[in-house]
């Protein structure tokens, strides 16, 4: 199959554009280390020389991937998710990886039953004397429209040559890291270098929409003679540094419960001049209900939720105190001075070890430009709760659904309420002293000349826990991007330095894995 994609764009500097107050500029690609300490690393020098010499080709590969709008949460984009799967398979097979696309069945989306994107299983190498590393990434992305506030087309990779930033939906989450593995594989193949480990790949196209179907596949492929047989460890590159200067290794993730709250009333949309102050309005009920979930301070108002959280120990508290992080970092990442606290550890714990509740949007409400005096007949609000130990989607559901039903009953409305949990995943914590993490630390120190921070991340990657429990092996999160990449937001980017040095990091990690003793 021939592939034709958009070309990379170059963003011109906006004349006279002032920097955001209190938000310092991140270091440019030139600020990242150019020298790699070859005396302490297991990887061969020619690997890094090849990566340096082929930066343009690697960026072009990313541009082709970004040009495919593989949005998994919108049925109208489903064909593009399949297109992205074909692109990934093509890239892997061209480098000698044997692949298998696994049909995960169908699901309901936007009121219709459609095919789930395939899981891509791949493997290269079968040397019993070598360790086997399982790699995971996802090829789907979050929705993105220019009208959302992007400074450039979200599905055209835009290279700001002054800052080294590569803007585009999926550049950091997760197409850049996925392609980093392919770049590493290409370097070995083109140089005639034997891979130091056996590699297995599991790439999916539904991570941004709950990883539907993947858990069942993983569990079905565990056992003698099955796909995951013989895996020694797992590496996932689908997260980010805490800031824009210090690499990290992540040993914990929050889980998630994502809810849809629907209020229905009239049989059709109504004119507010005719029916205002005459009927119960669904939008009014929904806004009141959502207002009872969380305070502006971040405090969750749902009774019984805090009792599900594991208590904080002095030892754990000390870990947050020493991390290379500041309030300026969170404000730079957010693009504004809006941190909830002036205390670093409080902000870090709010992100990593305590739950959060965020309101995401409302369906069915008038949102176009202009002034439309409509009373919507049906509106749906969406919110999510990030889960931490010892919370689970099941015990959180019981508390949340009861609270919403009780509060809706207190409104005295004649409208109807429908509650749905759209998807969920449990939190995960690993052993950061495992040899998998030691190898990653050595690789990070070699490439970036810094000892990485050990972090727990605020986001959710549900498949992480599935790998850990089903395979019974250590799972590592090895990030490529920075904390200010803006994944899921407008103007998502991946710094060129992180893309290129991140590719070196992934390659070095494989060689360190081969060299380390279990």
């Amino acid at each position: 199959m021939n592939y034709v994609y958009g070309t990379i764009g170059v963003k011109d500097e906006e004349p006279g554009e002032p920097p955001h107050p209190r938000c310092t500029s991140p270091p440019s690609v030139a600020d990242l280390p150019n020298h790699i300490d070859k005396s302490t690393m297991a990887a061969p020098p020619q690997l890094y020389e090849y990566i340096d010499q082929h930066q343009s080709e690697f960026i072009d590969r990313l541009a082709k991937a970004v040009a495919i709008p593989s949005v998994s949460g919108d049925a109208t984009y489903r064909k593009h998710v399949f297109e992205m799967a074909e692109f990934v398979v093509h890239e892997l097979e061209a480098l000698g990886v044997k692949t298998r696309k696994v049909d995960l069945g169908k699901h309901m989306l936007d009121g219709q039953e459609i095919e789930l994107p395939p899981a891509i299983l791949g493997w290269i190498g079968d040397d019993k004397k070598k360790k086997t590393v399982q790699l995971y990434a996802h090829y789907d992305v979050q929705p993105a429209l220019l009208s959302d506030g992007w400074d450039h087309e979200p599905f055209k990779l835009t290279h700001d040559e002054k800052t080294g930033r590569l803007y585009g939906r999926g550049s950091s989450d997760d197409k850049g890291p996925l392609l980093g593995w392919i770049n590493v594989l290409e370097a070995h193949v083109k140089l005639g270098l034997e891979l130091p480990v056996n590699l297995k790949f599991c790439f999916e196209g539904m991570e941004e929409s709950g990883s539907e179907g993947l858990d069942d596949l993983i569990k079905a492929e565990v056992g003698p003679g099955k796909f995951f047989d013989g895996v020694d460890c797992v590496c996932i590159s689908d997260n980010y540094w805490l800031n824009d200067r210090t690499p990290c290794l992540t040993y914990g993730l929050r889980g998630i419960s994502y809810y849809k709250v629907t209020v229905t009333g009239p049989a059709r949309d109504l004119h507010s001049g005719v029916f205002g102050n005459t009927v119960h309005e669904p939008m009014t009920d929904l806004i009141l209900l959502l207002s009872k979930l969380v305070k502006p301070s971040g405090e969750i108002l749902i009774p019984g939720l805090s009792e599900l959280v594991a208590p904080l120990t002095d030892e754990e508290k000390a870990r947050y105190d020493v991390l290379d992080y500041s309030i300026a970092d969170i404000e730079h990442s957010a693009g504004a001075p809006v941190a909830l606290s002036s205390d670093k550890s409080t902000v870090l714990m709010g992100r990593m070890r305590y739950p959060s509740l965020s309101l995401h949007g409302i369906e069915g409400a008038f949102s176009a430009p202009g002034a439309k005096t409509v009373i919507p007949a049906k509106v749906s609000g969406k919110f999510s709760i990030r889960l931490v130990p010892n919370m689970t989607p099941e015990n959180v559901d019981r508390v949340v659904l009861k609270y919403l039903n009780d509060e809706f009953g207190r409104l005295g409305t004649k409208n109807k309420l429908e509650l749905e949990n759209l998807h969920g995943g449990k939190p995960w914590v690993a052993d950061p002293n495992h040899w998998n993490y030691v190898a990653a630390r050595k690789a990070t120190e070699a490439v970036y000349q810094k000892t990485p921070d050990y972090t727990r991340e605020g986001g959710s990657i549900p498949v992480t826990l599935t790998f850990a429990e089903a395979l019974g092996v250590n799972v590592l999160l090895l990030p490529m991007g920075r904390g200010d990449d803006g994944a899921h937001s407008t103007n998502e980017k991946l710094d060129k330095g992180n893309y290129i040095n991140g590719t070196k990091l992934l390659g070095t990690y494989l060689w360190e894995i081969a060299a380390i003793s279990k």
Side-chain angles (χ1 to χ4, degrees):
M1 181 180 293
N2 294 322
Y3 296 90
V4 181
Y5 302 104
T7 56
I8 186 170
V10 177
K11 180 179 183 294
D12 295 327
E13 181 183 2
E14 296 293 336
E17 184 177 358
H20 195 287
R22 292 181 62 187
C23 296
T24 57
S25 297
S28 69
V29 64
D31 296 319
L32 289 170
N34 293 317
H35 171 71
I36 293 178
D37 185 2
K38 300 180 178 65
S39 65
T40 60
M41 65 167 51
Q46 58 265 44
L47 177 65
Y48 314 106
E49 294 168 4
Y50 183 93
I51 293 170
D52 283 333
Q53 293 166 2
H54 293 79
Q55 295 182 39
S56 296
E57 291 93 330
F58 292 164
I59 292 173
D60 183 62
R61 176 176 279 148
L62 180 59
K64 292 176 180 177
V66 168
I68 304 173
S70 50
V71 177
S72 60
D74 186 331
T76 61
Y77 286 84
R78 184 52 53 90
K79 64 180 180 181
H80 298 298
V81 188
F82 277 86
E83 180 187 1
M84 187 65 202
E86 291 297 328
F87 173 81
V88 172
V89 168
H90 177 268
E91 294 290 307
L92 289 172
E93 291 184 344
L95 296 169
V97 178
K98 297 177 181 178
T99 66
R100 175 160 61 100
K101 289 187 295 182
V102 181
D103 183 355
L104 298 178
K106 298 181 180 181
H107 73 138
M108 294 298 297
L109 181 63
D110 298 337
Q112 55 185 304
E113 186 179 54
I114 59 175
E115 296 284 343
L116 285 164
I120 300 169
L121 302 181
W123 61 98
I124 185 168
D126 189 24
D127 189 335
K128 303 302 181 183
K129 298 178 182 178
K130 296 179 180 179
K131 298 183 184 74
T132 298
V133 181
Q134 175 65 56
L135 307 178
Y136 166 87
H138 64 91
Y139 58 85
D140 65 317
V141 298
Q142 285 279 317
L145 298 171
L146 185 62
S147 59
D148 293 336
W150 285 73
D151 294 335
H152 33 71
E153 290 292 340
F155 294 107
K156 179 178 181 180
L157 192 70
T158 300
H159 185 186
D160 186 329
E161 295 185 331
K162 181 179 179 180
T163 64
R165 291 173 169 178
L166 302 166
Y167 290 96
R169 174 59 86 219
S171 56
S172 182
D173 180 23
D174 187 35
K175 293 181 178 180
L178 186 156
L179 296 181
W181 292 117
I182 293 176
N183 297 340
V184 167
L185 187 59
E186 178 190 308
H188 283 82
V189 170
K190 299 295 185 180
L191 290 169
L193 279 175
E194 183 179 345
L195 284 167
V197 297
N198 305 313
L199 290 179
K200 291 191 176 185
F201 303 84
C202 179
F203 295 156
E204 68 156 321
M206 283 293 291
E207 193 275 342
E208 300 292 5
S209 300
S211 294
E212 289 192 56
L214 189 63
D215 280 6
D216 290 341
L217 170 64
I218 292 173
K219 293 171 185 176
E221 289 289 346
V222 172
K226 295 188 177 181
F227 180 77
F228 295 108
D229 185 22
V231 168
D232 293 295
C233 62
V234 176
C235 183
I236 296 173
S237 188
D238 186 22
N239 62 309
Y240 321 94
W241 299 356
L242 273 179
N243 48 41
D244 56 22
R245 61 186 176 273
T246 305
C248 69
L249 307 178
T250 300
Y251 66 95
L253 291 167
R254 293 194 292 188
I256 190 171
S257 286
Y258 197 110
Y259 297 95
K260 182 177 181 179
V261 182
T262 302
V263 180
T264 57
R268 60 187 180 280
D269 288 355
L270 302 176
H271 191 304
S272 66
V274 177
F275 290 97
N277 200 23
T278 304
V279 299
H280 288 279
E281 300 188 16
M283 178 71 88
T284 303
D285 293 347
L286 179 64
I287 296 299
L288 281 170
L289 198 58
L290 296 180
S291 73
K292 298 178 183 297
L293 293 173
V294 63
K295 289 183 178 180
S297 64
E299 179 187 351
I300 300 175
L301 298 174
I302 302 172
L305 211 59
S306 61
E307 285 77 7
L308 302 176
V309 178
L312 176 68
T313 65
D314 292 340
E315 179 184 1
E316 184 188 355
K317 172 64 165 61
R319 294 180 196 148
Y320 302 106
D321 295 337
V322 300
L323 290 178
D324 180 15
Y325 192 75
S326 68
I327 298 303
D329 289 322
I330 188 66
E331 292 181 344
H332 169 65
S333 296
V338 292
L340 287 177
S341 171
S342 59
D343 180 71
K344 176 189 82 170
S345 295
T346 298
V347 172
L348 282 171
M349 288 189 290
R351 169 174 173 170
M352 296 180 182
R353 72 96 53 213
Y354 285 121
S356 64
L357 191 154
S358 299
L359 307 177
H360 301 302
I362 296 177
E363 289 183 11
F366 172 64
S367 61
K372 184 178 180 182
T373 57
V374 65
I375 297 175
K378 176 181 178 180
V379 286
S380 298
K382 295 181 179 180
F383 73 94
S384 70
I385 301 175
R386 297 289 176 167
L387 314 185
V388 298
N390 298 317
M391 304 169 82
T392 67
E394 292 76 19
N395 63 26
V396 168
D397 259 8
R398 287 193 292 270
V399 174
V400 171
L401 300 182
K402 180 182 185 305
Y403 176 71
L404 286 172
N405 276 309
D406 289 348
E407 289 299 318
F408 189 75
R410 293 187 180 98
L411 295 180
T413 180
K414 294 180 180 178
N415 292 322
K416 305 298 181 182
L417 175 68
E418 180 184 357
L419 303 175
E420 300 174 75
N421 185 325
L422 298 185
H423 63 84
K426 293 188 290 186
W428 159 82
V429 178
D431 176 13
N433 298 312
H434 189 274
W435 54 262
N436 194 16
Y437 280 81
V438 175
R441 174 182 58 78
K442 290 182 176 181
T444 303
E445 290 172 344
V447 173
Y448 286 105
Q449 310 292 288
K450 283 187 175 183
T451 298
D453 281 333
Y454 285 78
T455 68
R456 288 166 60 173
E457 187 53 79
S460 303
I461 311 174
V463 73
T464 308
L465 185 65
T466 305
F467 275 128
E469 292 181 342
L471 275 62
V473 300
N474 182 271
V475 180
L476 161 76
L477 265 65
L478 183 60
M480 174 180 281
R482 301 181 180 186
D484 63 349
D485 280 354
H488 293 207
S489 185
T490 54
N491 299 320
E492 177 185 348
K493 60 85 178 172
L494 177 65
D495 289 82
K496 177 183 175 183
N498 284 69
Y499 183 43
I500 300 305
N501 282 319
T503 295
K504 294 176 185 178
L505 173 62
L506 300 181
T508 306
Y509 161 74
L510 298 181
W511 284 86
E512 294 291 349
I513 284 287
I516 201 167
S517 298
K518 289 187 181 180

